[in-house]
Amino acid sequence: MEETQREFHHEEEEEHADINIWKYILGFSEMAVVKCAIDLGIADAIERHGSPITLSDLSSTLGCAPSLLYRIMRFLMHRGIFKEKLTTQGSPERYAQTPLSRRLMRQEEHSMAAFILMESSPVMLAPWLSLSARVLANGTSSFEKAHGEDLWSYTAANPDHSQLFNEAMACDARLVVPAMIQGCPGLFDGLNSLVDVGGGNGTTIKLLVKACPWLQGINFDLPHVVSVAAEISGVKHVGGDMFESVPKADAAFILWVLHDWADKECIQILKKCKEAIPEDKGKVIIVDAVIQGQEEMDKLTDARLMLDMVTMAHTTAGKERTLKEWGFVLGEAGFSRYTVKPIRALQSVIEAFP
């Protein structure tokens, strides 16, 4: 009986392998087709139409070949990105939006289009082809191998990529800030000023000041970044280097920055943030992923693990950290205590106190 069960289990594993291997052979097509949908503006066109749309109308609006667009839509509907609207018998099928497809729109509130376009750009795809070189002992950065310089030098020298990078980070900020405000009530109570360290084009601090109008906001990033940032009411743009100093404020806010750096650099950044805040009532608010243990996994665990691979491919020494690893860098930076609060996002909110 045991032998029969082992044989059945082995056959079942072999069957799963035969099916699942195709996800790894053809998995790239998913990102490519979603990028195609954004480039064509499919979700935007359906939204402008105001109601479910036929293939004929959609192809005419987009200037696409109907037979090819049909195959794209079939692929996307199979993944639940768009849905088919049932019609009366004999009428052509109509395509309708879903919450997921609306995230592919260019200007929608919860749009992630810029993020997808950045990650699927030739600049960001090339490093993946030499990921093994990064993993080898004494390996070189995948991004440097692909482009001859690190991500930050490349971004500073290429304004188009810099703009796309900052637009992608703004996409995430528009999702994270509301989740943070809802999940951490009172997080900004008692503060009069807040400096967003590595704040990019200012989207995050703009959202924070709007949600907490008593705050005086400082958007702090490299000079070439803040020089092209739009003026924001209640926010001052300051250019500088976070490894050298951080503008003074009641609290420092740092969203999705520390995961780009090795422990040594993280500790250096955190020390500069600590120097910028009052010792008696100041704090540093870190919004970054926390890799959970096996018993703490949730629906976003897989995305966090994929994000860890992204930091491996795109940064020189960045990584997503476990709770223990966060405790180490915070302790080395001189913080006396910290709290961690999960929110409805990839990231958690870490409050660190002097």
Side-chain angles (χ1 to χ4, degrees):
M1 179 67 74
E2 289 184 7
E3 183 66 28
T4 302
Q5 287 179 334
R6 280 198 296 270
E7 287 179 5
F8 175 78
H9 182 63
H10 175 73
E11 289 176 6
E12 195 175 46
E13 286 185 322
E14 286 293 329
E15 182 181 353
H16 286 162
D18 286 341
I19 295 169
N20 289 333
I21 190 62
W22 289 104
K23 291 192 296 186
Y24 304 104
I25 295 171
L26 303 174
F28 68 91
S29 63
E30 205 158 40
M31 173 186 273
V33 175
V34 169
K35 178 185 184 301
C36 172
I38 296 170
D39 289 340
L40 293 174
I42 294 174
D44 299 278
I46 296 175
E47 190 72 14
R48 284 194 302 270
H49 188 71
S51 61
I53 189 171
T54 64
L55 175 65
S56 175
D57 286 342
L58 183 60
S59 60
S60 295
T61 299
L62 299 175
C64 293
S67 61
L68 299 179
L69 182 60
Y70 169 77
R71 290 160 62 188
I72 291 288
M73 295 304 293
R74 179 174 62 185
F75 182 95
L76 294 170
M77 284 198 303
H78 182 67
R79 281 153 182 78
I81 296 175
F82 293 96
K83 63 184 178 183
E84 181 182 353
K85 186 72 172 178
L86 295 176
T87 58
T88 56
Q89 190 172 7
S91 300
E93 65 179 356
R94 295 173 182 268
Y95 303 119
Q97 296 271 57
T98 67
L100 185 52
S101 70
R102 286 192 170 91
R103 281 158 172 75
L104 306 185
M105 293 170 59
R106 296 277 189 161
Q107 302 300 327
E108 205 267 341
E109 182 184 1
H110 297 126
S111 171
M112 296 296 277
F115 214 143
I116 295 168
L117 292 176
M118 181 189 74
E119 293 295 352
S120 61
S121 68
V123 171
M124 299 305 252
L125 287 178
W128 288 103
L129 302 178
S130 52
L131 185 60
S132 57
R134 170 75 174 85
V135 180
L136 290 169
N138 302 316
T140 56
S141 157
S142 300
F143 195 95
E144 288 184 39
K145 187 172 176 63
H147 300 294
E149 56 188 338
D150 68 22
L151 173 61
W152 315 116
S153 300
Y154 182 93
T155 302
N158 292 270
D160 287 346
H161 184 72
S162 178
Q163 181 179 348
L164 182 57
F165 183 91
N166 285 305
E167 288 174 356
M169 295 303 99
C171 284
D172 181 66
R174 285 189 286 269
L175 293 182
V176 170
V177 170
M180 182 177 58
I181 297 295
Q182 182 180 15
C184 302
L187 182 63
F188 301 101
D189 289 356
L191 302 176
N192 294 315
S193 57
L194 182 72
V195 56
D196 185 5
V197 181
N201 63 12
T203 297
T204 302
I205 195 70
K206 178 182 179 180
L207 293 168
L208 289 172
V209 168
K210 183 178 180 180
C212 308
W214 64 87
L215 287 175
Q216 292 179 312
I218 302 170
N219 182 47
F220 179 61
D221 211 310
L222 294 166
H224 77 270
V225 176
V226 297
S227 66
V228 295
E231 188 174 329
I232 301 170
S233 177
V235 174
K236 179 182 179 183
H237 294 296
V238 177
D241 185 342
M242 63 186 173
F243 290 103
E244 295 180 358
S245 67
V246 170
K248 302 285 186 184
D250 290 340
F253 182 87
I254 187 159
L255 166 64
W256 253 12
V257 171
L258 297 177
H259 73 162
D260 291 325
W261 301 96
D263 288 351
K264 179 182 176 183
E265 286 78 16
C266 269
I267 293 164
Q268 188 178 349
I269 295 166
L270 286 167
K271 283 182 176 179
K272 296 302 178 184
C273 289
K274 185 170 176 286
E275 291 172 5
I277 61 174
E279 194 166 341
D280 55 344
K281 65 171 185 175
K283 63 181 176 180
V284 176
I285 302 166
I286 302 159
V287 185
D288 229 316
V290 177
I291 299 293
Q292 311 105 313
Q294 198 73 23
E295 68 285 350
E296 301 166 313
M297 291 186 177
D298 60 25
K299 293 178 180 179
L300 286 170
T301 294
D302 195 49
R304 293 186 188 101
L305 294 174
M306 287 191 282
L307 183 63
D308 187 44
M309 296 297 97
V310 172
T311 60
M312 188 184 295
H314 291 161
T315 70
T316 302
K319 63 178 180 179
E320 303 307 323
R321 291 176 168 82
T322 63
L323 192 57
K324 182 179 178 181
E325 289 170 327
W326 278 115
F328 171 75
V329 295
L330 289 166
E332 290 295 304
F335 291 92
S336 62
R337 63 186 179 92
Y338 64 92
T339 63
V340 180
K341 173 78 172 177
I343 57 175
R344 292 186 60 182
L346 278 179
Q347 305 95 323
S348 292
V349 175
I350 304 171
E351 291 182 80
F353 303 90

